[in-house]
Amino acid sequence: MNAIQTILNQLEQSSNLRILFPQKHKDLEIQKNGKWLLNLASNDYLNLASNQNFIAEFLDSDLFRDNCFFSASSSRSLSGNFEIYEAFESYLESLFNKKALLFNSGYHANVGALSALGKLKNVLFLADRSIHASHIDGLKSFGKIAFKRFLHNDMQDLRKLLEHNAKNFEAIFILSEGLFSMEGDFAKIQSLIALKKQFKNVYLYIDEAHSIGSFGQNGLGLCYPILKEIDFLILTFGKAIASMGACVLCQSDFRNYFINFSRSLIYSTALPPVNIAMSYFSFLHLPNLQKQRERLSNISQDFKILLQNNLQYEILGEYNILSLVLKDNHKAIFFQKELEKRGFFAPAIRPPTIPQNQACLRFSLTQKIPFNQLESLCDSLKEIDYEYLS
């Protein structure tokens, strides 16, 4: 269709056209166009997914041998609810003191849970403006759901919305991420809890996709010490956990409600049991990975200081997700391509993933990256900046 071609042409002219390329992976590197590059776009924060010893240990475990099915061949509500699902959910409940319900991905979890909650009468959702796209899709997917957005991590803006709307709705759900996937900063959890306590009908819905495994006591995330104050906790397993899938942690009634009304759960073939077993295996090992988490924290802090001391750009991020804000799409693509020539893979992040005029390079750090390579990266960024301005 001509209309589609016009849209694609416009995206290309604005340096906003997304394409896919075949990839090979080797330890910390990714191959693009036949060249090996340091991968700065991986969410394998603890390097478990590329740890051959860790994988070999899993393959030699009873968890693997007892659950070596590569397809569930059915949804969970029919014949796909293998015993490993119940075992893993029970283990998560023992850790977090909430009922767990597994989904195929973080996207499935958010779309399923939020669209189901949106079916309730007279409810309002207040979403941080930087919330993940899956939350917004969940609120928009099935019918008209009332929601408003507050300025990113702005508690005063949220307070105004709560004061203005609390008496008009039976329930209000505040949506936030634990560690924001683009800004790389943490939610103000204590402030959110303090606001929640001022109203009887407010619930907190926190997505810990980027903090589970890599942050907090035993890697159990930002909210772990204050779980009783969090009504819905979303954990995903395709990042630091080195597997795939996700879960919603909540009260028993909500879990039963999601089983009956979350369409992304009801109408999806369940994940293969072997993947559930891998997630379970990773959680069992999280307490033993404190050194990796400490290293991830240290290199993240040191790299941010290095960038701030050497580049005249805004640097976003409080932990292992750091962004160099370049604002212009063309400039971000120029930096990306020049970095690839120098052996680094750091894709430009552009709208609609982030707001207009906020294009950036996003550095997703993993604990195993040698710091001297990050120093070389910083030197390369200085050179590219000089070339761009010349």
Side-chain angles (χ1 to χ4, degrees), residues 210-247:
H210 290 270
S211 40
I212 187 64
S214 62
F215 186 84
Q217 180 182 336
N218 289 334
L220 296 178
L222 180 69
C223 297
Y224 185 71
I226 43 176
L227 287 171
K228 66 178 182 180
E229 305 294 350
I230 311 300
D231 302 287
F232 303 91
L233 188 63
I234 313 302
L235 309 180
T236 67
F237 311 140
K239 299 175 175 64
I241 303 302
S243 183
M244 63 184 301
C247 76

Side-chain angles (χ1 to χ4, degrees), residues 262-314:
S262 292
R263 293 169 66 90
S264 63
L265 173 73
I266 298 168
Y267 299 112
S268 291
T269 297
L271 285 178
V274 69
N275 294 117
I276 306 302
M278 181 62 187
S279 298
Y280 194 171
F281 183 81
S282 292
F283 265 87
L284 290 172
H285 284 75
L286 283 183
N288 305 323
L289 299 170
Q290 185 58 28
K291 288 184 179 179
Q292 288 87 336
R293 286 187 286 272
E294 289 175 0
R295 173 165 169 73
L296 180 62
S297 176
N298 291 336
I299 65 169
S300 300
Q301 293 175 26
D302 291 345
F303 184 50
K304 182 174 182 178
I305 293 171
L306 187 67
L307 292 176
Q308 289 174 326
N309 289 343
N310 286 275
L311 295 165
Q312 300 300 312
Y313 293 99
E314 183 181 10

